[in-house]
Amino acid sequence: MASPLATTSAPLTAVHLVTLGCARNEVDSEELAARLEDGGFRLVDDPEDADAVMVNTCGFVEAAKKDSVDTLLQAADLKGSGRTQAVVAVGCLAERYGSELAEALPEADAVLGFDDYADVAGRLQHILAGGRHETHVPRDRRTLLPLAPAARRAAARTTAIPGVPSTPVPAVPASPPLPLPDGVAPASGPRAFRRRLNGSPYAPLKIASGCDRRCAFCAIPAFRGAYVSRPPADVVAEARWLVEQGVREVMLVSENTSSYGKDLGDIRLLESLLTDLGAVDGLERVRVSYLQPAEMRPGLVEVMTSLPHVAPYFDLSFQHASPTVLRRMRRFGDPDAFLGLVESIRAAAPTAGIRSNVICGFPGETDADVAVLQDFLVAARLDVVGVFGYSDEDGTEAARLEGQIDPDQVEARRSAVSDLVEELVAQRAEERVGERVRVLVEEVGGEDGDETVGRAAHQGPEVDGSTTLPLGHAGAVGEFVDALVVASDGVDLVARPVA
């Protein structure tokens, strides 16, 4: 079926877009979708109905890279057996490895980098017509912008930064009304293209891109570039558009949200942005993600725990608790400082949600360091903890450090900490029995067809568990329901609506 944007009776070329990785990649996919649709393509849900399959890859850790390659190979299997003519890689893995990935994966017809996004429709048309795309040679994208954050705005106007446009983009043609949440974000001045790809009442909202930190284990800054904030007015305008598409909760995303505004001359700009978002009619909850513990400040904690529309939810990237390991990671902190931050949050909002990620098996880590981490986790009583085993990443300082740990030992430590975390987060969820929560309904019916599924304020999307309500006694998708927690199951909660 032709897209509503079609102006002729001829069917438009169909594209299936696959998104892997984090919420930031979800935003990038919606930008790509809008640019493709504006360029004359139509989006389809089934890859077997597509002339081209585009995979927005993740290049963060080894497991994510493998998943990206496997997905590209699965898409390539469709060629020759059906309608699919081309498979194209985009996203972080494509940007990070460029020509190397293209050479190693001939099954993909093209590997596009971030510099190709502005004309992604033209690139895809060229590829489908039998043209050859000249794959980029990877480069450190931090070198594309000035070292000084305040000097980046002018240079950013000529630099491709997915989700953070700095130059005007063409207006999106008007289209007939589409069922929510379909639609393309209007482009006015430096607004990003964006097309909703699902009907969720939640949406990620990118406020910045890139990172200036130099964590020894992380390669993201090299392929995502230096830190660039979006102007607050653009963020608020996009939030209004998202509400028009049926969104009731947004999660502010970036590589390092607590740095927002430093390149705009105001390191406390996040606090005022959160206040401004409260004026967006219909936006009932704002969630903040990717906070650096070393950059947390009392004013930010106060705003995040006092504004009624901001979820008291703290996504804090601790990574470890041993001061020795943290220094080798080129990070800051220790158990006392981290526990002090946790206590200050709970003093302001006792029911606040706090989640984190930790790495086990970093080079030089000892059994004593692991014990420090475990003791911290027991004392902190976090709601959710992602536990990862260390693996070398190309081009990172950690890959060159002495004290590399045998992979089997890394896995043993990861498994032990994971077992502890599973017990701790289940205990933390059980502590919430009897607590009143406000649940955003995201699904009616559930897996068994007899429940309503949503998330409370302390539960981030997809990774922090869910709250179930009895079917027939809760609201529709997109509504908020006040409820009382009556039971827990691991990190998940069971609640019943209250007046």
Side-chain angles (χ1 to χ4, degrees), residues 369-421:
D369 293 322
V370 176
V372 170
L373 173 60
Q374 291 173 317
D375 289 345
F376 163 72
L377 293 172
V378 170
R381 296 168 41 249
L382 305 178
D383 290 275
V384 176
V385 183
V387 184
F388 298 89
Y390 171 81
S391 62
D392 286 339
E393 283 297 310
D394 298 334
T396 62
E397 179 185 353
R400 304 187 301 271
L401 288 176
E402 296 181 356
Q404 297 285 331
I405 298 172
D406 181 82
D408 290 341
Q409 181 65 21
V410 171
E411 173 55 26
R413 291 179 179 177
R414 187 208 63 79
S415 179
V417 174
S418 293
D419 290 345
L420 173 63
V421 162

Side-chain angles (χ1 to χ4, degrees), residues 325-343:
V325 175
L326 287 167
R327 283 195 295 271
R328 287 175 67 84
M329 288 180 169
R330 293 197 177 274
R331 296 177 66 86
F332 304 94
D334 56 60
D336 290 342
F338 291 165
L339 289 173
L341 174 57
V342 169
E343 290 167 3

